Amino acid sequence: MAAIWAGIDAGKTHHHCVAIDESGRRLLSRRVANDEPELLELLTDVLALGDEVTWGIDLADGGAALAIGILLNHDQPVHYISGRAIHRASESYRGEGKTDAKDAAVIADQVRIRRDLHPLRTGDETVTDLKILTGRRMDLVADRTRTVNRLRAQLTGIFPGLERALDLTNKGPLTLLTGYQAPAAIRRLGAKRLEIWMRNRKILRADQLAETAVEAAERQHTSLPGEKLTAQMVHTLAKEVLALNEQVAELDKLIEARFRDHQHFEVITSMPGLGIILGAEFLAATGGDMTIFGTPDRLAGFGGVAPVPRDSGKISGNIRRPQRYNRRLQRVLYTSALFSIRRSEESRRFYDRKRAEGKRHTQAVLALARRRVNVLWALLRDGRCYELTPPTALAA
């Protein structure tokens, strides 16, 4: 039975495919459009070369989604290999140049000789939706952060006292800035009328916010250059942040509704520190199928919370932070560990113990995140929710 390995260097509009045999000899090298008829033709031609084909690709979504979908729909085994791994591996192949054909050949050969590559599978529809929704949420949050930073910079240029006094991530201060931005305007209005203006817009604690704004205005009687135009920009930016807040809130509702449809919703959210959003992002980053990773150690390595050894010669016992891991999953594991310190006595005790051992804050949180991976892995494996005292301990 002839075995064939095919590598695809994926692109936005075109892919390049190279197929090799067990000796590494090229049997096919072709550039194809990212279009279903051409991809189906490529699949037919590659399958005609041998009895068994194993595929490798350097993207797991995006421009490669159609190619992956076609291969999986035809029951073809597909493995993912990262672009960074391809770049490093290509240094050991002949020639210094970089072409799509060479990258595709490297992918095919790496799939042929390696046994640790990540297999791609047909995705759970709920997980796919969560990937889309949480990805969009991350974009909106990043846009909001940039807009808030611009708003702070503009307000500081004309009214630094008010910028220091306000939390520009909350609805009340942002609503205030859509109406009044300069100290003279706030002084003319006065605290009482400003309070009424904000109450009409359903702002909580409008009296406290009005007093804070008027106090800041009383401390600045100097009108700065460009104040009028800058005030207009502050007004526009404040409205943009409010709009982004509304979009994020709407997405949060969609994420929660979709997340609740998943079979592991109760298990994941029972873990201290893993709420709706972080739990949904955990599913989006891992796919929800723990059998892909095999062991909790591999999941921890994929999430960047497991140290890796760096020994050489007489030097042993050296460990360092990993460089190849899923940044999104690491953020979920690290952030949820931080939250658990405040909400779980067990997590707090573990963190305090690591700090007492001389570890820095970040090291202690990462150690806690690594410990929590084992717990979460066991919960998902057994299909049970988190309990302070595990069932085995109760039985004993």
Side-chain angles (χ1 to χ4, degrees):
M1 183 172 66
I4 303 297
W5 291 266
I8 298 178
D9 180 58
K12 182 179 179 181
T13 59
H14 290 80
H15 309 314
H16 199 105
C17 178
V18 169
I20 61 175
D21 61 15
E22 58 185 7
S23 66
R25 181 172 61 92
R26 289 194 188 188
L27 305 177
L28 176 146
S29 180
R30 183 188 301 174
R31 187 171 186 259
V32 297
N34 189 14
D35 198 38
E36 184 169 345
E38 291 203 27
L39 291 171
L40 288 172
E41 182 182 350
L42 172 68
L43 174 62
T44 301
D45 292 345
V46 173
L47 290 176
L49 297 174
D51 302 312
E52 181 182 345
V53 181
T54 303
W55 300 78
I57 196 164
D58 61 344
L59 288 176
D61 49 25
L66 178 59
I68 293 172
I70 289 173
L71 292 174
L72 293 179
N73 288 342
H74 286 80
D75 299 321
Q76 296 296 298
V78 186
H79 297 269
Y80 167 72
I81 178 170
S82 69
R84 184 173 184 173
I86 297 167
H87 175 71
R88 290 187 171 182
S90 64
E91 296 177 356
S92 62
Y93 289 81
R94 182 181 300 173
E96 296 184 3
K98 181 190 182 304
T99 64
D100 293 344
K102 180 181 178 181
D103 287 345
V106 172
I107 293 170
D109 200 45
Q110 288 293 298
V111 173
R112 180 177 67 90
I113 63 178
R114 291 180 60 171
R115 298 295 180 268
D116 61 340
L117 295 179
H118 187 67
L120 298 178
R121 302 180 183 178
T122 303
D124 184 316
E125 193 68 27
T126 302
V127 173
T128 301
D129 290 348
L130 288 176
K131 285 181 181 179
I132 297 171
L133 292 171
T134 55
R136 175 59 178 161
R137 187 183 190 277
M138 290 175 65
D139 291 340
L140 288 176
V141 170
D143 290 342
R144 181 175 60 184
T145 301
R146 285 191 292 267
T147 308
V148 168
N149 289 338
R150 295 189 191 106
L151 175 58
R152 288 191 179 280
Q154 294 292 340
L155 186 57
T156 301
I158 59 171
F159 199 171
L162 187 62
E163 188 277 332
R164 289 195 304 271
L166 299 183
D167 181 358
L168 298 182
T169 60
N170 290 336
K171 180 181 178 181
L174 291 168
T175 304
L176 168 63
L177 293 179
T178 62
Y180 301 94
Q181 307 84 25
I186 294 176
R187 281 197 307 272
R188 283 194 302 269
L189 190 64
K192 192 61 180 177
R193 284 190 293 173
L194 183 57
E195 177 186 344
I196 295 172
W197 183 87
M198 287 189 289
R199 285 191 187 280
N200 291 336
R201 286 155 181 79
K202 298 179 172 58
I203 301 302
L204 297 177
R205 294 183 289 277
D207 54 340
Q208 299 177 17
L209 183 55
E211 289 179 7
T212 298
V214 172
E215 286 177 6
E218 291 292 348
R219 291 194 297 269
Q220 180 177 329
H221 290 262
T222 302
S223 179
L224 299 177
E227 182 179 278
K228 185 176 180 180
L229 181 58
T230 304
Q232 293 176 3
M233 297 183 68
V234 168
H235 164 83
T236 301
L237 290 169
K239 291 185 69 174
E240 289 180 7
V241 177
L242 285 170
L244 288 168
N245 284 341
E246 292 179 1
Q247 292 182 59
V248 171
E250 287 298 322
L251 265 180
D252 287 349
K253 294 177 183 178
L254 293 174
I255 289 171
E256 179 175 358
R258 203 69 185 98
F259 186 20
R260 287 183 180 277
D261 292 337
H262 197 272
Q263 59 178 336
H264 294 318
F265 171 79
E266 297 292 345
V267 175
I268 293 173
T269 53
S270 71
M271 189 79 176
L274 269 177
I276 299 294
I277 301 303
L278 287 177
E281 290 188 358
F282 173 81
L283 274 181
T286 61
D289 186 0
M290 297 296 103
T291 60
I292 292 177
F293 300 98
T295 66
D297 293 339
R298 290 194 64 184
L299 176 61
F302 181 68
V305 295
V308 295
R310 192 178 186 180
D311 299 341
S312 180
K314 296 181 179 180
I315 300 175
S316 62
N318 264 3
I319 59 174
R320 62 170 175 82
R321 292 182 65 180
Q323 296 180 347
R324 290 179 291 170
Y325 56 89
N326 186 295
R327 265 63 178 171
R328 186 176 185 181
L329 180 57
Q330 189 198 52
R331 185 182 64 81
V332 171
L333 298 176
Y334 185 89
T335 305
S336 65
L338 273 178
F339 287 157
S340 72
I341 292 172
R342 297 198 295 266
R343 301 176 183 177
S344 169
E345 292 184 5
E346 289 220 329
S347 294
R348 184 75 207 187
R349 284 196 294 269
F350 183 90
Y351 171 82
D352 290 340
R353 186 167 76 247
K354 291 301 175 181
R355 291 286 282 165
E357 293 173 1
K359 295 187 181 296
R360 297 189 300 273
H361 167 73
T362 302
Q363 292 174 320
V365 176
L366 285 172
L368 174 60
R370 175 64 185 90
R371 179 74 170 269
R372 284 165 52 84
V373 167
N374 289 344
V375 176
L376 185 57
W377 174 274
L379 296 179
L380 291 170
R381 179 198 62 197
D382 301 338
R384 60 183 177 86
C385 294
Y386 175 84
E387 299 174 85
L388 189 59
T389 305
T392 52
L394 290 173

